[in-house]
Amino acid sequence: MTEHDETVRREFERQAPTFTAGGWASSGVGWIVGLVEPDASEQVLDVAAGAGHLGRALAFRTAHVTAVDLTPAVLEKGKAEADAAGQRNIVFEVGDAARLPYLDESFDVVVSRLSVHHFTDPAVPLAEMVRVCRRSGRVVLIDMVTEPEHRGVRDHLEVLRDPSHTRTPTTRELAALLAGAGASIVSQNTRDNPLRLDDWLERTSTPAPARTEIRAALSAELDGGPATGLRPYVDGEELWFTHAWSAVVAVRP
């Protein structure tokens, strides 16, 4: 593995216990399933699946799901949840998104949720996702996005929380990645995903100095300071902010 792969695995080993059925780890799954429009006969691949929240949701509506991720700890968490739910049509496999261990055109649907901002060279895993998708099959890519003018401060704050973060894409860049890999864009959808700051920081065991800096940046924006692109707000006595998510659906010609 590369040094960055080791960072990803280390960070998600630490986060694995927080990959529960509620909160941030499972947010947006129902929305994504609606965009995928799964069919009962389809074979699905969930790339960089984490604990397979999306893959497990799709497994209830498809023939079979393969969930692949670099980090065994999160896969073990997902497998335990799937076993407890009696799901027998999903398997969890350790694998690298940049070198998917599958033959060409093996899956009807290939999905990846919240992975691009962890890739050092997103074009490589995206080419792999399109490669293993069958002709006329669908590739669905979902990630948080930013506006170009906010990327610098946004990425700085994200890395403070999670060192495996690389770069937050724009909606246009997500679509360009799929198009560059040879897929034809069918639709693009966006939604807001509100997050409670303390929960978001606790899930990565963010060190105290980083927590202080992140909170200060969001609080300063609320007081009229520089924009972070995270649109902070106060609900009750708690500080919240907003991730914008984009979902791009494409077809492999």
Side-chain angles (χ1 to χ4, degrees), residues 90-217:
I90 181 169
V91 296
F92 296 83
E93 299 183 344
V94 178
D96 185 349
R99 291 174 289 276
L100 291 172
Y102 311 110
L103 298 177
D104 295 356
E105 302 184 41
S106 292
F107 300 92
D108 301 296
V109 181
V110 181
V111 299
S112 191
R113 169 180 173 266
L114 300 178
S115 62
V116 171
H117 68 273
H118 292 290
F119 295 149
T120 53
D121 184 1
V124 176
L126 264 292
E128 283 288 273
M129 290 173 63
V130 173
R131 177 184 67 79
V132 301
C133 186
R134 294 190 175 113
R135 304 286 174 178
S136 300
R138 303 183 302 291
V139 181
V140 183
L141 189 63
I142 309 98
D143 209 339
M144 59 185 189
V145 293
T146 189
E147 298 299 326
E149 62 268 25
H150 298 140
R151 178 143 44 203
V153 63
R154 171 70 178 273
D155 285 346
H156 174 67
L157 297 177
E158 296 282 354
V159 170
L160 283 175
R161 174 189 178 262
D162 181 353
S164 69
H165 176 92
T166 56
R167 184 175 186 269
T168 309
T170 66
T171 298
R172 179 173 294 183
E173 287 169 346
L174 284 183
L177 284 167
L178 279 170
S184 299
I185 307 303
V186 173
S187 67
Q188 295 178 241
N189 292 269
T190 59
R191 65 167 269 164
D192 284 342
N193 189 50
L195 297 166
R196 184 168 61 87
L197 179 63
D198 285 341
D199 177 64
W200 186 64
L201 296 174
E202 192 61 33
R203 288 175 181 271
T204 51
S205 300
T206 306
R211 293 187 188 216
T212 299
E213 183 174 346
I214 294 167
R215 184 178 294 275

Side-chain angles (χ1 to χ4, degrees), residues 33-87:
V33 171
L35 296 174
V36 173
E37 298 183 327
D39 183 88
S41 66
E42 290 180 319
Q43 303 280 330
V44 178
L45 176 65
D46 185 2
V47 177
H53 287 92
L54 177 55
R56 284 185 276 133
L58 290 169
F60 285 111
R61 300 177 59 179
T62 58
H64 190 270
V65 175
T66 301
V68 61
D69 195 275
L70 193 65
T71 307
V74 289
L75 292 171
E76 290 165 3
K77 177 77 171 176
K79 184 179 185 304
E81 295 286 344
D83 289 347
Q87 291 184 291

